[in-house]
Every structure is written in structure tokens, then in C-alpha cells.
Amino acid sequence: MVDQISWIFRSTDWNNDGKPDNIGVKIVTMTLGWIPYKQELPEHYDTPKLALDYLKIFARMNFSSCCLGVGFTNRQFLNGLDGISFAASRKAHGGICDHRNPLEGFMRSMNIILISARGLDGSQLSMYHITKALTHELGHAFGANLHDNEHKAHGCWGFQPGEYTEKQPASTPKLGRYIMWPKSSGDPNSKPLSNNLRFSTCSKNEIALVINERRQLKNCFIPDYNPFCGNGVVEGLEECDCGSVLDCAKQKCCGARLSTKPCMIMDAKACPLNPIARPFYGRNEILNNSVGSNLTSNYSVLLLIPFIVTIIWRDLSSY
């Protein structure tokens, strides 16, 4: 799950310079078995709780040593929520690397996310839904304060030029909604639409401001020189890198991250003569005007990764 989310983040061009910024996430530590309501009777476990109340309890844990704390619970949230977080902002507390702050008489961690594995009817959510919820809340934690429908630009709603009409404002875009749309859309068993795996321009603009500000903080973003197939940058022994799921689907030359030959030449005949002109080859040069093993990186890649501590817990009183 985290690998899939990191793939989306690493292959995203946050600053709109036409190149992926290679900013991803990874797990540092995991903890099992935290009990938020110690005095609660077992028969009360299935009673939905306000997500914000749960978040405030989770916030009492100290995540000062990491960029972000992520909690998973099997408790159903009220009001149809499947995730909640303190959103990052340049004007208020919350989000990545914003650690302990006073709130309602307690010092609380503001760099946290909480995800419920239960749906509206109390049923268990699929891994697809949980991954989607976590990606959405990470967007908030990274700086997307507004949902896409709160922006005035219809392009950030998922509509292509000329697609939106005032007569059908509630219609669904052909390419689907972006990640920061407030409600999940689409069949979880169907193939995701193009926009479902992307952040809108509006969200990227908000997130870019927070990234630029907080990457200056100590122990927030750290360099990682390990290759990551799928970030759009050719590294290490990679022959190519077609980038995101969507970009890889547009070509047959390079193997995608989850293919049988990740970041290796799949079909040399389908490769362009000058891969540097194609975005799925990343920021690299080609030698001797050929493909394959002659691809080489012309500089070292600096990957900035926020530390994430993932806390997976369950209320043991349910047993």
C-alpha cells in the first residue's frame, strides 16, 4: 500500500517544471495494539465515533522524531468519514513535520493521520478503499487544504476544456475525479480512471508551497540515493523509467514498476531514438545514439523522503 502511494507521490511534478520531483514516503517503524478507550466495554466497540475525537486521542502520542504518524483503526467513524488528518498550512499548525503543539490543555502531535477500515454501513473496506483514503489524507498532510470541489477552476474538478457545462454541473468527468475530491467515486473493483491517480493543479500548487517551506526543517525531509523504479528518473542499473502508472501505460518501450521487467527495455523497437525527449526516460542522456545498456544518468539524484511512522493498532477490548 505504501509503495503504491509513494509511486504516485514520486512521479508527481509538484512545481510544474515538467519533471517529476521524486518526493516519496516510507515506513520507519510500526507499532501494534494501542488501546484508545481503555475503559470501554466490548459491546460498545461497534459504536461509531467522531473522527475528530479519535484523532485528538491519537494526537497525544509523540511523533516528534518523524515527519508523520499514521494510525489505522477498525472503529467506524461518524458522518461517512474514512480518514481524517491535521492539514498542513503556511498559516496554521498541522501536517508534515509540525510536531507538538498545545491543543485543549494537552500537548498534541499535529503531524498525524487516522484511517478507518470500516465503511458507511460498518463493513470492512477493501485495500483499494483504504489506500485511496490514505493517499487523500496524505494530500492534506502535505498541504492540500481545500478539496478539489472548493476551488473555482473547473479543471481542478477533473473536467477537460469544454467538458463542463452549467446545465450539467453534477456530471462526472470522463477522466474521473482527482485524488483530493471529497468523496470516493467509482467502482473499487473497476480500473481506476486517469484522474483518480493524480493530484489536480490546484492541489499541487498548495502542496508545493508547504514542501518548499518545510523541507528546510530539521529531520523533515531526508535524502535517499536508492533507486526507485517508477519515479521517472533513470537510476542505478535501470535501463529506463517510464514514471507513473499512467505514463507507463502510454508506451511499450519500458517496463513499469509492477511489470515482469521493471525499468528495463521491454521492446527496443518501440523506443524513441532520443529517449531524453520523452518524459518516461527521466533526466538522463543517451550515449552513441542507441538504447538499452547505453543509457546513463548524467547526475546524481537527490530524493527527499519524509519519515513516516505507521502505527497500526486495534482496540483490544473488542476481543
Side-chain angles (χ1 to χ4, degrees), residues 13-264:
D13 174 19
W14 300 108
N15 59 4
N16 295 314
D17 66 351
K19 303 172 184 177
D21 292 310
N22 205 17
I23 297 177
V25 296
K26 71 176 181 180
I27 296 174
V28 178
T29 62
M30 299 178 68
T31 303
L32 299 174
W34 179 60
I35 308 175
Y37 294 95
K38 296 182 179 180
Q39 306 302 320
E40 189 172 46
L41 297 176
E43 57 266 28
H44 295 164
Y45 182 74
D46 289 329
T47 304
K49 294 282 188 180
L50 281 172
L52 183 58
D53 289 347
Y54 233 45
L55 187 70
K56 290 178 181 178
I57 295 174
F58 185 50
R60 294 187 186 183
M61 300 184 70
N62 192 337
F63 294 105
S64 298
S65 62
C66 63
C67 166
L68 198 64
V70 181
F72 294 90
T73 178
N74 210 33
R75 165 82 65 176
Q76 183 182 356
F77 293 156
L78 287 173
N79 303 321
L81 295 180
D82 51 16
I84 188 170
S85 60
F86 291 119
S89 171
R90 301 176 69 196
K91 300 179 181 179
H93 291 303
I96 54 172
C97 305
D98 190 4
H99 301 130
R100 307 287 283 176
N101 289 288
L103 178 65
E104 298 180 354
F106 293 92
M107 291 299 293
R108 304 181 196 255
S109 297
M110 308 298 286
N111 56 331
I112 57 172
I113 291 173
L114 194 55
I115 302 295
S116 172
R118 303 283 286 275
L120 295 176
D121 58 356
S123 61
Q124 205 74 33
L125 292 179
S126 66
M127 185 57 69
Y128 170 88
H129 268 118
I130 295 174
T131 302
K132 194 171 183 178
L134 180 54
T135 307
H136 180 95
E137 294 305 326
L138 278 169
H140 283 310
F142 267 74
N145 268 263
L146 299 178
H147 287 121
D148 287 323
N149 66 329
E150 296 176 294
H151 293 286
K152 295 181 179 180
H154 295 155
C156 292
W157 295 8
F159 292 105
Q160 302 303 300
E163 186 180 357
Y164 177 86
T165 63
E166 294 293 343
K167 295 181 179 179
Q168 294 179 312
S171 60
T172 301
K174 293 180 180 179
L175 298 182
R177 303 293 189 185
Y178 289 109
I179 290 172
M180 297 311 297
W181 192 257
K183 292 292 184 180
S184 298
S185 60
D187 181 357
N189 297 315
S190 64
K191 185 178 180 180
L193 296 175
S194 177
N195 288 343
N196 298 159
L197 301 175
R198 288 176 171 155
F199 286 94
S200 69
T201 300
C202 298
S203 295
K204 289 194 292 184
N205 289 340
E206 286 188 301
I207 291 173
L209 293 174
V210 172
I211 288 177
N212 288 335
E213 179 182 78
R214 300 196 181 180
R215 71 195 310 172
Q216 310 299 326
L217 300 177
K218 184 178 180 181
N219 296 328
C220 185
F221 290 78
I222 62 165
D224 185 348
Y225 298 97
N226 295 317
F228 183 92
C229 177
N231 59 10
V233 181
V234 182
E235 307 159 288
L237 299 178
E238 296 175 354
E239 294 180 344
C240 56
D241 193 322
C242 52
S244 69
V245 177
L246 301 172
D247 288 335
C248 288
K250 298 176 183 177
Q251 52 83 53
K252 297 181 180 180
C253 167
C254 186
R257 179 172 178 80
L258 299 181
S259 69
T260 56
K261 297 176 65 178
C263 287
M264 304 296 286

Side-chain angles (χ1 to χ4, degrees), residues 256-277:
R257 179 172 178 80
L258 299 181
S259 69
T260 56
K261 297 176 65 178
C263 287
M264 304 296 286
I265 299 297
M266 297 283 286
D267 183 358
K269 294 181 180 179
C271 298
L273 292 178
N274 185 14
I276 194 173

